[in-house]
Amino acid sequence: MKIKVTKSAIESAAVILSKVINTKNPMPILGDILCEVHENVINMTGGDGESSITKCVELLEMEGEGDFCVDGGRLLAALRSIPEQPITIICTTEDDYMFTIQHQDGQMHFLAEHSEEYPVLADEKWNDEGFELQSDRIGAAIKRCLWAVCTEDQRPQMCGVHFCTVAKYDTLDIVASNGHALVRNRLTDWNNHQYNGKIEATIPTKIAKIMADTLTGEEPMWMRFSKNKCQIETDSYTMTCRLIEGTYPKYNSVIPSDNNIEACVDGSTLATAIKRTLPFAPDSSQLLSLHFFATELRVVSADYDFSEGANDRVAVDFNSSSPLAIGVKGSTLLKALGYIPNQGIRIKMSDPSRAVLLEPKDPWKNTEVTILLMPMLLNE
């Protein structure tokens, strides 16, 4: 079998597949990429036994058809060492399964393996035909969630990004929470997709990260669900993953609806103030106190054990006649501000003991973004 393909096309596929392949595998062949050459394309598949990605790459030339497996790490290392150019790949599948890459300055070869040994995920019976969404919109929503995903083994059902339809509002929510912070992306134009099924599924963090990295274009994508699996399909690749078992917490019940005290502030200015004051906060708690006044927000940090402290001032539009002070974890607030870029921030509060909400000052088209932060006790 002999094929000719551009180096960049096959390398970009190998990069995506390497993200789902584990460095250590219970089965050595799971470190390989399954290559299927048919009808002038090569379908490349990588997986970890529970999730898989198949990427379709068009060929420039093809002589013969067949399937084989090749070590993913070795293939990627070889391709990265070759300048951009058309390359020729030869795989002898009759006897020794030798894999050869020919480029303009030479060649490299190493052993391939039989494709029959590669564990392909079984065909799934999907609940319905799925629904179509814009790739970059979903990728951006997932990216806004990832920093808040739970990493504690004691709460495995929260260790991923949750997709949930809300019939009351006819919306699709994309959510993540670690118990201290919560991010909810609400797609308010869900009725335009004419999808009547119920979605209640949590995608593992590993796959969610891959989706955030790859769903960056404006091309359409399809999502399908079964009882315990999800499939994401675009024009160029298909991703299948096992869903996290267990019931995701009722996140909407913890988002307060009566936070009537509001402060509007420039997000980048507030982030700069936090960066100046956070180094002087206690290392263990990273506690910052936010003091709201009619036209001014004071960001204060104090480490009494080392007699250190800092404070900064930010212009604010505050709707309460009474000052309010709230404690927050500075690093968490700084992360949250980074996911509402180039926007005014609306901070919604009720009292120092209840959750703080962050939202864009100006609504986004067809998407509502809400970030919840749990407050910290002030030592005042």
Side-chain angles (χ1 to χ4, degrees), residues 231-303:
Q231 185 180 79
I232 302 97
E233 183 178 355
T234 70
D235 291 339
S236 57
Y237 70 85
T238 301
M239 184 185 309
T240 304
C241 70
R242 186 177 297 276
L243 299 173
I244 294 177
E245 297 181 359
T247 302
Y248 200 83
K250 302 297 183 182
Y251 59 91
N252 280 316
S253 64
V254 303
I255 300 177
S257 58
D258 57 350
N259 280 15
N260 299 320
I261 301 175
E262 296 186 3
C264 294
V265 61
D266 180 76
S268 60
T269 305
L270 178 55
T272 300
I274 293 172
K275 291 176 182 177
R276 284 198 288 254
T277 54
L278 187 57
F280 301 93
D283 290 337
S284 57
S285 65
Q286 298 183 329
L287 172 63
L288 296 181
S289 56
L290 307 180
H291 299 261
F292 293 90
F293 302 92
T295 59
E296 180 181 276
L297 166 59
R298 295 178 189 171
V299 183
V300 181
S301 63
D303 190 340

Side-chain angles (χ1 to χ4, degrees), residues 10-11 13-14 17 33 35 42 44 68 70-82 87 89 99 101 108 110:
I10 198 166
E11 181 184 10
L17 301 184
I33 292 175
C35 299
I42 177 170
M44 303 173 64
F68 58 91
V70 62
D71 185 279
R74 185 169 295 234
L75 174 62
L76 187 56
L79 293 170
R80 283 174 170 167
S81 67
I82 302 173
I87 59 174
I89 295 176
F99 181 85
I101 300 176
M108 50 191 76
F110 43 91

Side-chain angles (χ1 to χ4, degrees), residues 359-380:
E359 299 175 352
K361 180 181 177 182
D362 300 318
W364 294 356
K365 183 179 179 181
N366 298 328
T367 302
E368 296 176 0
V369 178
T370 300
I371 299 176
L372 177 149
L373 304 179
M374 295 303 296
M376 299 178 70
L377 180 65
L378 290 176
N379 298 319
E380 295 182 349

Side-chain angles (χ1 to χ4, degrees), residues 121-127 225-231 240:
L121 294 178
D123 291 337
E124 192 73 14
K125 182 178 180 181
W126 305 107
N127 293 341
F225 293 92
S226 68
K227 182 178 179 181
N228 59 2
K229 288 184 182 178
C230 171
Q231 185 180 79
T240 304

Side-chain angles (χ1 to χ4, degrees), residues 127-149:
N127 293 341
D128 44 61
E129 71 279 2
F131 56 90
E132 183 180 351
L133 291 165
Q134 188 171 312
S135 292
D136 56 353
R137 191 176 175 199
I138 297 301
I142 293 174
K143 188 171 292 186
R144 284 191 292 269
C145 287
L146 287 174
W147 68 274
V149 170

